[in-house]
Each structure stands twice: as C-alpha cells, then as structure tokens.
Amino acid sequence: MTDEELEELGRDLAKNTHLQTLSLRGGALDDHTVSSLFRGLIRSASITTIHFSGNGLSVAAVRSMVPFLQNANNLTYLNLNNNNIQSEGFNELFRALCDSPIEILTCNNCGIEAIEIDNDHIPKHLTILRLSGNNINADGCRGLAKLLQRKNSTITEIHLNNNKIDNEGVAILVDALRSNTSLTTLVLKDNMMTIEGAKLFLQLVNDVSSIKATLQSNHTLKRIIADYGGDDQDLNERIQRHIDNALEINALNANSSWSLPEVAGRAKMIQSQLHSAKREELARLQG
C-alpha cells in the first residue's frame, strides 16, 4: 500500500466506532507504515487494545504513535513485545501515556536498559507493567522505584524476568516497596541476584529486627517469583520458605473481609516475635 492509502486506511479505522482491537503482528508493520497509518488514525476514539508485537519497530514508530496515544481516551492495553524501541522509545511511550486510561503495558524483548520516569508523567491507571527479556539493571530499577514510590500508586504487577538485575537492583526495589501499598506481584526470574537478594526480600516482607519493624514490613505483596544464584541450596530453600510464609499471610489478609495491613502485621509479629527459636532463625537469615 502507498503512504496515501495507509493514511486513508487509518482515517477509515478512526471512523469505525465499533473497532476496539487493532492487531498487526509479526512483520505486518514497520516504522514507515506506522507513520502513515497513524497520521490517519489519530482521531480514533473506540480502540481499547493494540497488539503490535514482532514488527521490529524502533523509537521512530513510537514517535509516530504519540499524537494518537495522547488522545486515546479508551486505550487500556498496549502490547509492543519483540520490537526494538529501546530505552528512548519506552521513555517517550511512557510519557505519552500519562493522561491515558492505559492499564496494561507490555514491552517484553524491546532492548530497554535505562528507565527514566518523570513523576509528573506517570500513567495514572497503569496496573500491569511487563518488561521481561530486556537489559534492565540497577539503573533501570531506580526508574521503576519512582513508579512504586508515587503517591496513590496503582501498579499491581511488574514482570522483569530475564534482565540484568543484581543485588543492587533488588535493594533499590526493596527500598521502594517498603512504603508501597499497591504492588501484589513481582516477577524476577533469570536475573543476576544471589542469596543476598533473597535475604533482602525476606527482610522486606517480615523484618524481625524489632517488633515495630515487623509491624511495618510490607503486607501487600502476595507473590515474589525469583531465583537466586549460589551453591547453598539448603539456605536458599530455607529463606524462600520464610518468604513464602510471609507472602501467604499477606494473601490471606488481602482475601479476608477486613483486609487491613495491621492485621497481617500482627499475624507476623505473633508468629515471628513470640517464638524465640523462629525469631533467632529469621534474624540469622536476615543477617
């Protein structure tokens, strides 16, 4: 199709008030065709879902989409998996979506390293962020920390499998999660953490350094899916068992009729602080 025909197609799609899902995957688009298509599509008000995975799109395609994204009043799901938007494209995308109703943003395998989040340009309704298969390291975690520390954060799931997150990155995320009350799921398999990262997660969800610390632990997380390097499998399993126990308390509290963080905190305090042997083991594991 010519540029004019693609632009005309975009205008026709924009006029279709019943169109909700736009799916063009696996080489159906490139940077040039996206530019032509979105010149016509900019006025579309009905699209709720876009799947553009596997097209090799770069930051140029993201820039072509920005005017549409800034006016997409019903877009709740955007999938750009397996493209090459890199850090620059992701950061521009994130800013463009700040006033949109976007709830799920999926950018797996997109060559992303650095994440620059401006507190004034965070999507206000974002609940699920998928960034697996990128090159995100500790610097990228600093950007994600801003997302987690935002007042009235809405984010409930972050998926970061197969990145380059080490113990430093875990420490940054853990620090942000101490005050976060929205995130329930954190997925971090196939990264670069060691058992020291596991200890940080254990302290996050059940800090036994004092009764006050236990009561002020994170009582929102229900799932931490991660693996850790190291040869001491027994130590790994013991730490994971205690993490899972704390997460189970969080989940039981979240599913109860009262669902108050202080209830989970009291349950952890009774289980950990009032049993000397268990407290000693947890203190030892947390260092």
Side-chain angles (χ1 to χ4, degrees), residues 147-170:
L147 178 63
L148 293 167
Q149 291 171 324
R150 183 174 70 95
K151 186 179 180 181
N152 299 321
S153 173
T154 57
I155 194 80
T156 61
E157 295 184 22
I158 297 181
H159 297 253
L160 293 165
N161 285 338
N162 193 23
N163 276 282
K164 296 182 178 179
I165 298 171
D166 57 10
N167 294 336
E168 182 185 0
V170 170

Side-chain angles (χ1 to χ4, degrees), residues 26-284:
L29 295 170
D30 59 26
D31 289 347
H32 186 76
T33 53
V34 166
S35 175
S36 300
L37 180 66
F38 274 84
R39 279 200 300 273
L41 195 62
I42 187 171
R43 302 290 180 192
S44 175
S46 63
I47 294 176
T48 63
T49 302
I50 291 178
H51 294 282
F52 280 0
S53 60
N55 286 304
L57 304 178
S58 74
V59 62
V62 173
R63 288 174 181 149
S64 298
M65 295 170 64
V66 164
F68 164 82
L69 296 173
Q70 290 174 331
N71 292 282
N73 296 326
N74 289 296
L75 183 68
T76 57
Y77 186 105
L78 176 57
N79 176 358
L80 290 176
N81 287 346
N82 302 305
N83 284 289
N84 192 35
I85 64 172
Q86 300 187 346
S87 301
E88 187 177 4
F90 176 79
N91 294 331
E92 292 198 24
L93 179 69
F94 212 75
R95 286 192 293 270
L97 291 167
C98 69
D99 292 321
S100 81
I102 195 75
E103 296 175 2
I104 302 174
L105 178 59
T106 302
C107 294
N108 297 325
N109 303 305
C110 284
I112 300 165
E113 296 182 20
I115 296 176
E116 297 176 5
I117 291 180
D118 178 352
N119 287 329
D120 295 326
H121 294 88
I122 294 176
K124 299 175 180 62
H125 306 282
L126 185 66
T127 57
I128 299 175
L129 180 60
R130 299 188 181 113
L131 294 171
S132 294
N134 286 293
N135 298 305
I136 297 167
N137 57 18
D139 286 338
C141 289
R142 290 187 179 90
L144 292 172
K146 290 184 180 180
L147 178 63
L148 293 167
Q149 291 171 324
R150 183 174 70 95
K151 186 179 180 181
N152 299 321
S153 173
T154 57
I155 194 80
T156 61
E157 295 184 22
I158 297 181
H159 297 253
L160 293 165
N161 285 338
N162 193 23
N163 276 282
K164 296 182 178 179
I165 298 171
D166 57 10
N167 294 336
E168 182 185 0
V170 170
I172 292 165
L173 294 176
V174 163
D175 187 59
L177 286 166
R178 295 190 194 283
S179 58
N180 177 276
T181 58
S182 67
L183 196 77
T184 61
T185 299
L186 179 62
V187 184
L188 282 164
K189 289 184 72 68
D190 298 318
N191 276 279
M192 301 168 64
M193 299 98 68
T194 69
I195 201 68
E196 297 305 314
K199 291 179 180 179
L200 291 170
F201 281 133
L202 177 56
Q203 189 175 49
L204 170 68
V205 295
N206 191 9
D207 186 344
V208 297
S209 60
S210 69
I211 290 176
K212 182 179 180 181
T214 301
L215 293 173
Q216 292 180 343
S217 298
N218 181 293
H219 307 310
T220 306
L221 275 164
K222 293 190 281 187
R223 291 197 306 160
I224 298 174
I225 303 173
D227 45 29
Y228 314 98
D231 297 327
D232 195 335
Q233 189 62 29
D234 177 66
L235 178 60
N236 193 327
E237 289 176 357
R238 281 190 290 137
I239 292 175
Q240 189 62 55
R241 186 165 59 249
H242 286 298
I243 291 173
D244 291 342
N245 182 62
L247 295 176
E248 183 179 2
I249 292 173
N250 289 355
L252 287 171
N253 174 65
N255 294 331
S256 68
S257 57
W258 53 83
S259 187
L260 297 171
E262 52 265 33
V263 174
R266 283 197 296 270
K268 293 175 187 177
M269 186 270 292
I270 292 169
Q271 192 178 97
S272 304
Q273 296 286 353
L274 301 186
H275 294 78
S276 58
K278 187 167 186 178
R279 187 190 180 283
E280 286 176 10
E281 181 183 19
L282 282 166
R284 206 164 44 245

